Amino acid sequence: MRFALPRPRSLAAQLFAMQAVLIAVLVVGYALFTYVGDRGQAEEAASRQAQAVALSVADSPSVRESIRTADPSATLQPYALAVVRDTDVDFVTIMNPRGIRWTHPDPDQLGLPFRGHTAPALEGRTFTETYTGTLGPSVRAVTPVRDGDRIVGLVSAGIRVDEISQRAEAQLTALLAVAGGALGLGAIGTYVINARLRRHTHGMNARELSHMHDYHQAALHAVREGLLMLDGQYRVALINDGGRELLGVAPKEDVVGRSVTELGLPAPLTGALLASRPRVDEVHLTADRVVVVNTSPVSGGERRGSVVTLRDVTELQSLTGELDSERGFTQALRSQAHEAANRLHTVVSLIELGRTEEAVDFATAELELAQALTDQVVAAVGEPVLAALLLGKAAQANERGVELVVTSDSRLDDGLLPDTLPTRDLVTILGNLIDNAVDAALGGIGPRVTVTALTDAGAELILRVSDTGPGVDPDHAEAVFQRGFTTKPSGPGGRGLGLALVRQAVDRHGGTLTVTSEEGGGARFEVRLPLRDATGNRATANDAMAGSGTGGTA
């Protein structure tokens, strides 16, 4: 036989039960307090009423006259019964100073001793007490009857305790009816509120909500990708550790509740976060990273916000750029091998034709042309990585029909660059500038790209790339460095990223990047990177941030 354990009640049900019990306790407690208070007030009122009746009877002249007769009961008994009937008391007892009754609601009690205290009244004082007499417990008042200075009798008027309780119970019944109505209204209101709460909590109980919160916190800290949640007003509702790192937000900075426009992010990235339509695998740049952004609105009728995921592809972009460079080098080598084969066939053919002198002259000319470019680059740029980059780019440009020239004033010795300026970032900067210059020079007359690399008294590195293309519109001088800006058709690898990566790398190292127009047409991009710190010493930091690769075009 299987026994099913009862499922814990939902949080809404527990709140409803707690509120119902609380309302019931408050109502019952208030009812009991009111009952006790009303009973005390009823006893006090009954005491005042009995005292007033007793004093009125004792002051009546007819009572004193009847006491002087030989049979006081004959006239006092009807009088006392009339007073009881008219004043809503339970008894009026008139007695002699020794306590022998002249009147009583029960005629059989006439002539018998009064049950109660009379000593204070015999001393001339009026007093009240609760005492159990022939009619049961009662609140009574006892006062003397004076005939001049003599006390000739005593009067006691009283109201039974049962009668007082009935009065209080009548008030309590009305109070309980009102309390019951209030409890019913409170229960209905509580049920309605908690029914809505059940919908919001999806019927989960407190333990399930606690577990979900624990899992939620663990997932936020465990996920390496960035997670950002925005509310309907585009304010940050939640951000995990990965999101803070990718967006450059300090770990202890409180950004929850702030608008995304206040986070200091680049304009294109801010625009993507503010977009109403979902974004899928969009590449954006932060101050020092390349991130892929995906946004998705939170479902639920009205706009409730959006969920943003951020994926760091800085290293991937770097590797992609290096792969593109290697692919370009490979294609250049393949083209050079093809051209070398053609030249070799030409030399062989000239030798077979017996024209050896022409063969020697042709081979020597070709060798001198190739060696001249190599000698020029190696002599100007001693840094091996940049020298290899320039040779590879020269081969690529030559394959595409563009002449790449290194100016005679270029001079960059090996070992001059500090640790804070890694060669990878220089490859990113110079490689992208050359790629864009080659693209711009294509299609013109005498296409040429001119490269200058030198240092200014060892204080800063200057990289200058000029082309013979159409130039840059002055109105777009700043826009060309933004991600997504391009004047060329989109390719399979995307456009509008190369110059943005250059700007990112330059800004990261505290340099400047400018674009101007050449006098004879074309554009000139100039980069200046500091080689010394603020004190004038050579920088030696070993933890420089590696930049992105050379791939991509503006």
Side-chain angles (χ1 to χ4, degrees):
M1 182 177 180
R2 298 179 61 185
F3 294 93
L5 294 176
R7 183 176 180 269
R9 290 189 301 172
S10 67
L11 177 62
Q14 295 181 34
L15 289 176
F16 173 73
M18 182 187 70
Q19 293 179 10
V21 171
L22 180 61
I23 292 176
V25 169
L26 289 176
V27 170
V28 172
Y30 179 74
L32 292 177
F33 175 78
T34 303
Y35 172 73
V36 173
D38 288 348
R39 182 181 176 87
Q41 293 176 359
E43 290 182 355
E44 184 178 355
S47 176
R48 291 195 300 267
Q49 182 181 0
Q51 185 175 353
V53 172
L55 290 172
S56 299
V57 173
D59 291 339
S60 175
S62 60
V63 172
R64 287 194 293 271
E65 292 177 0
S66 298
I67 291 176
R68 297 190 190 103
T69 62
D71 186 10
S73 295
T75 55
L76 293 179
Q77 176 70 3
Y79 173 76
L81 294 177
V83 172
V84 169
R85 183 175 59 252
D86 295 338
T87 58
D88 199 22
V89 295
D90 291 322
F91 65 89
V92 173
T93 299
I94 305 174
M95 68 198 86
N96 62 21
R98 297 189 305 275
I100 302 302
R101 301 187 186 98
W102 286 327
T103 65
H104 195 276
D106 184 5
D108 295 336
Q109 299 294 325
L110 296 178
L112 296 180
F114 173 73
R115 293 184 180 181
H117 300 94
T118 58
L122 293 175
E123 294 175 358
R125 293 186 292 110
T126 300
F127 70 96
T128 59
E129 66 174 353
T130 300
Y131 195 85
T132 301
T134 58
L135 299 179
S138 61
V139 176
R140 59 182 64 181
V142 182
T143 187
V145 178
R146 297 178 183 274
D147 188 2
D149 295 332
R150 294 184 307 114
I151 297 177
V152 295
L154 303 174
V155 177
S156 176
I159 301 174
R160 292 180 299 169
V161 174
D162 293 343
E163 180 66 21
I164 297 174
S165 299
Q166 290 178 2
R167 296 179 185 179
E169 289 173 358
Q171 296 178 356
L172 178 62
T173 301
L175 175 63
L176 290 177
V178 174
L183 179 61
L185 292 176
I188 294 174
T190 302
Y191 176 80
V192 172
I193 294 174
N194 285 281
R196 183 172 183 177
L197 179 61
R198 283 197 300 271
R199 290 195 300 269
H200 287 299
T201 61
H202 302 286
M204 289 187 293
N205 57 45
R207 178 176 299 179
E208 292 171 339
L209 288 175
S210 177
H211 288 171
M212 176 174 290
H213 177 268
D214 294 340
Y215 297 147
H216 172 268
Q217 292 297 321
L220 284 181
H221 292 288
V223 173
R224 297 299 301 272
E225 293 186 349
L227 179 62
L228 182 67
M229 294 187 180
L230 306 177
D231 62 14
Q233 303 299 319
Y234 298 101
R235 294 171 300 196
V236 178
L238 182 146
I239 184 172
N240 70 341
D241 298 341
R244 289 179 177 273
E245 181 179 359
L246 294 179
L247 296 180
V249 178
K252 295 184 179 180
E253 183 180 358
D254 186 11
V255 297
V256 176
R258 293 170 54 184
S259 173
V260 294
T261 58
E262 301 175 5
L263 300 182
L265 302 177
L269 179 55
T270 301
L273 298 181
L274 295 176
S276 58
R277 294 184 178 181
R279 300 297 180 97
V280 179
D281 291 339
E282 282 194 0
V283 179
H284 287 271
L285 301 179
T286 63
D288 54 3
R289 294 181 182 273
V290 182
V291 296
V292 174
V293 178
N294 287 273
T295 65
S296 177
V298 178
S299 60
E302 75 279 2
R303 175 173 176 78
R304 297 184 178 180
S306 59
V307 177
V308 182
T309 59
L310 307 168
R311 188 167 67 254
D312 187 6
V313 293
T314 305
E315 292 298 327
L316 179 61
Q317 186 69 32
S318 175
L319 294 176
T320 301
E322 293 178 2
L323 179 60
D324 290 341
S325 296
E326 295 297 334
R327 185 181 294 113
F329 297 155
T330 303
Q331 293 175 352
L333 290 174
R334 184 181 297 113
S335 299
Q336 289 181 353
H338 186 268
E339 290 298 320
N342 290 335
R343 294 186 182 98
L344 182 59
H345 286 307
T346 301
V347 172
V348 172
S349 297
L350 289 174
I351 293 174
E352 289 178 348
L353 293 174
R355 309 186 70 169
T356 56
E357 291 184 3
E358 288 85 346
V360 172
D361 292 340
F362 179 82
T364 302
E366 290 296 324
L367 180 61
E368 289 177 352
L369 181 63
Q371 189 63 36
L373 177 61
T374 302
D375 293 342
Q376 181 188 11
V377 172
V378 173
V381 181
E383 213 291 322
V385 176
L386 290 185
L389 174 68
L390 289 174
L391 290 174
K393 292 298 182 182
Q396 286 181 287
N398 183 63
E399 175 68 18
R400 300 178 65 183
V402 178
E403 180 185 5
L404 189 147
V405 178
V406 178
T407 60
S408 59
D409 59 342
S410 296
R411 187 69 181 176
L412 185 60
D413 296 331
D414 188 15
L416 183 63
L417 300 179
D419 294 338
T420 54
L421 189 59
T423 55
R424 173 179 289 184
D425 282 355
L426 294 181
V427 169
T428 296
I429 295 171
L430 192 56
N432 278 289
L433 291 179
I434 293 176
D435 286 342
N436 281 275
V438 171
D439 288 340
L442 284 174
I445 300 176
R448 174 183 295 181
V449 173
T450 304
V451 179
T452 301
L454 53 87
T455 59
D456 183 7
E460 62 180 355
L461 171 66
I462 301 175
L463 300 176
R464 190 179 300 119
V465 179
S466 304
D467 61 70
T468 58
V472 177
D473 188 340
D475 295 336
H476 297 158
E478 184 63 27
V480 294
F481 301 114
Q482 296 182 3
R483 188 205 70 84
F485 181 89
T486 181
T487 58
K488 294 168 289 197
S490 178
R495 294 286 189 180
L497 187 60
L499 289 181
L501 291 173
V502 173
R503 165 59 65 84
Q504 183 190 65
V506 171
D507 290 344
R508 184 164 58 248
H509 294 289
T512 60
L513 172 61
T514 59
V515 56
T516 56
S517 297
E518 291 282 34
E519 294 182 358
R524 182 176 71 175
F525 290 84
E526 182 175 284
V527 174
R528 291 178 175 266
L529 299 174
L531 298 180
R532 299 179 182 272
D533 57 22
T535 62
N537 299 320
R538 285 285 302 275
T540 58
N542 295 321
D543 299 325
M545 175 67 69
S548 300
T550 62
T553 56

